[in-house]
Amino acid sequence: MNQANIIPYGRQSISEADIQAVVDVLRSDFLTQGPVVPAFEEAVATYCHVRHGVAVSNATAALHIACLSIGLGPGDWLWTSPITFVASANCGLYCGAQVDFVDIDPHTFNMSVVALEKKLIVAKLKGMLPKVVVPVHMCGQPCDMEAIHALSIKYGFKIIEDASHAIGAKYKGEPVGNCRYSDITVFSFHPVKIITTAEGGLAVTNQTELAQKMNLLRSHGISSTPSDMEQRPADEIWNYQQIDLGFNYRMTEMQAALGLSQLQKLDHFVATRQSIAWFYDQALASVDIQTPWQHPDGLSSFHLYPIQVTATSGISQQTLYQALTQAGVKVNLHYIPVYRQPYYARLGFKPGYCPNAEDYFKSSISIPVFASMTATQQHRVLELIQSLCLPKVLKRVVGAGL
Ligand SMILES: *Cc1c(COP(=O)(O)O)cnc(C)c1O
């Protein structure tokens, strides 16, 4: 297959303005720890209607320091969704905490609030309530944050939203990331996500103390702010102090410049993704496959568009996956339930642990959606799927026993 004919499931959109913004930084005084990172943090915080932003090297790092700033540690539990990228769970293990999974809602693919409440009731009896719950806005569709927040008050856990898929999405008319129903929200700027900084991530919060702690942790736990420092003999020069055990999780100035430039196109990118999703919704209505349902409370950023093969689709998930891949449509699978990964299986998780997650895993395929996707590419994806799956009308005829 000619490389030019391959359609990826996701990719970045880089403009000349983006390139110029990076070049401008390369010609400036600072490549790291300059003025652009704080400008990017402030711009994202303003966009999200939230007080503080802390930019880091990637969303995995953001999840790690978000957990640490909340005080997650050995003896604690972190709960998340099994249908997510492994980083949503790994951050708990990095802190020495234990990780558990709450099954998904089969319609939204997000953590099920009903399953969460049931699990909380049992955990309370056992004295094993989670310290942190990490809801993941799967595909860009916001979780039922108001309900999860109500449970957090009742059961006393903190909330870190993994919004790696969801910058630009809306929940009840407000931007994801405003932290109205959470302590911290984390975004990823990996090139397949909504906007990119190559590698990059950002944590937002309304709580000044958490922002300060994350700020310290992303840069070795070192501060040169006098008010942060302990008293030292006056005849010694103490221009910085290591106050905590931190990391080098900093974002560079070039990345932040790319992010600032990309942010200006965020609403346009999201609108384009929504219109591609709408096109798929309409066009695939004639085919016997399941298109992703949207909850009326949210406006998805459509990082992903998963279709689900049903018993009457006339093709198996594996065959459809292979046929699309061979035709140059680089579909993907989001996700293998995290606890099924060999590493998590060794921690004792068994196949079948979250039945809805497994059903989704065995039926879903993420088809291409990205802001620079052409109409020709969209039609090619659509026509392939139409040629491989049974039309819906045939199902009715079969169903009628003819
Ligand atoms: C991409 C992603 C991450 C990790 O993001 P990085 O920036 O690559 O570290 C975490 N969680 C989810 C749900 C993701 O999709």
Side-chain angles (χ1 to χ4, degrees):
M1 173 78 45
N2 179 345
Q3 195 64 31
N5 287 333
I6 289 180
I7 307 176
Y9 85 86
R11 65 157 291 148
Q12 71 277 13
S13 303
I14 300 293
S15 67
E16 282 307 315
D18 292 337
I19 293 166
Q20 195 53 50
V22 175
V23 170
D24 288 347
V25 167
L26 285 167
R27 295 191 199 285
S28 77
D29 291 336
F30 297 99
L31 301 186
T32 186
Q33 295 176 283
V36 189
V37 167
F40 179 47
E41 291 171 337
E42 204 176 309
V44 173
T46 302
Y47 181 89
C48 293
H49 304 174
V50 69
R51 282 207 192 98
H52 309 282
V54 180
V56 287
S57 45
N58 52 67
T60 307
L63 287 163
H64 185 192
I65 60 172
C67 288
L68 287 175
S69 71
I70 280 171
L72 188 74
D76 294 329
W77 286 91
L78 175 147
W79 292 3
T80 189
S81 166
I83 296 297
T84 184
F85 185 56
V86 292
S88 317
N90 288 346
C91 57
L93 301 181
Y94 294 162
C95 300
Q98 282 175 279
V99 167
D100 204 353
F101 300 92
V102 180
D103 205 355
I104 60 163
D105 175 314
H107 303 291
T108 61
F109 322 136
N110 284 331
M111 176 183 284
S112 156
V113 175
V114 174
L116 175 62
E117 185 161 22
K118 277 191 188 154
K119 202 173 171 77
L120 286 165
I121 291 166
V122 175
K124 188 172 182 191
L125 292 172
K126 291 186 183 164
M128 285 164 65
L129 283 169
K131 182 157 195 165
V132 174
V133 171
V134 181
V136 181
H137 304 307
M138 180 63 189
C139 306
Q141 167 154 240
C143 294
D144 187 352
M145 290 311 302
E146 199 169 0
I148 296 171
H149 181 251
L151 289 172
S152 81
I153 296 187
K154 189 166 174 197
Y155 291 94
F157 57 83
K158 303 286 184 187
I159 301 173
I160 300 172
E161 296 174 66
D162 185 343
S164 293
H165 299 182
I167 196 164
K170 297 264 188 334
Y171 174 66
K172 300 200 169 182
E174 293 178 23
V176 166
N178 68 358
C179 296
R180 183 186 286 274
Y181 302 107
S182 67
D183 296 280
I184 298 171
T185 301
V186 165
F187 298 118
S188 171
F189 307 126
H190 182 279
V192 295
K193 306 290 164 71
I194 312 292
I195 59 169
T196 190
T197 61
E199 295 286 349
L202 199 140
V204 290
T205 181
N206 284 317
Q207 298 166 45
T208 306
E209 214 172 293
L210 294 180
Q212 283 171 344
K213 182 100 186 178
M214 290 192 286
N215 200 22
L216 203 62
L217 288 170
R218 75 162 157 193
S219 197
H220 308 279
I222 285 173
S223 176
S224 48
T225 308
S227 59
D228 288 344
M229 296 198 222
E230 291 175 20
Q231 280 294 112
R232 286 290 179 266
D235 59 348
E236 293 174 354
I237 299 171
W238 282 85
N239 57 352
Y240 72 90
Q241 288 183 359
Q242 184 190 340
I243 294 153
D244 211 330
L245 183 61
F247 310 88
N248 185 349
Y249 280 170
R250 291 188 301 256
M251 176 180 274
T252 69
E253 292 283 285
M254 288 85 79
Q255 289 171 297
L258 181 54
L260 257 180
S261 183
Q262 288 259 304
L263 192 63
Q264 295 177 27
K265 293 175 290 186
L266 172 55
D267 288 340
H268 168 67
F269 286 165
V270 169
T272 307
R273 286 172 175 275
Q274 285 167 344
S275 68
I276 295 170
W278 187 83
F279 167 74
Y280 282 151
D281 285 347
Q282 307 303 309
L284 292 173
S286 63
V287 182
D288 198 341
I289 50 162
Q290 190 85 32
T291 53
W293 182 76
Q294 300 303 309
H295 194 289
D297 281 350
L299 203 60
S300 177
S301 51
F302 284 103
H303 165 54
L304 300 173
Y305 189 95
I307 57 171
Q308 286 175 286
V309 172
T310 71
T312 50
S313 293
I315 190 165
S316 72
Q317 179 209 31
Q318 279 187 345
T319 310
L320 181 59
Y321 186 96
Q322 281 158 6
L324 289 168
T325 306
Q326 274 159 21
V329 175
K330 295 276 279 209
V331 290
N332 211 319
L333 211 156
H334 299 95
Y335 292 92
I336 302 164
V338 174
Y339 63 81
R340 292 285 307 274
Q341 296 292 348
Y343 181 85
Y344 280 86
R346 287 200 294 276
L347 298 181
F349 290 102
K350 299 274 181 284
Y353 186 56
C354 296
N356 292 344
E358 304 236 357
D359 286 347
Y360 171 78
F361 162 52
K362 286 173 195 155
S363 62
S364 75
I365 294 174
S366 297
I367 63 174
V369 52
F370 48 93
S372 60
M373 195 176 183
T374 64
T376 312
Q377 288 176 319
Q378 292 168 45
H379 280 282
R380 216 178 104 206
V381 171
L382 174 71
E383 280 155 23
L384 263 167
I385 295 169
Q386 283 175 332
S387 72
L388 289 161
C389 300
L390 287 176
K392 223 166 229 156
V393 61
L394 196 63
K395 179 182 154 194
R396 283 198 210 102
V397 174
V398 172
L402 295 172

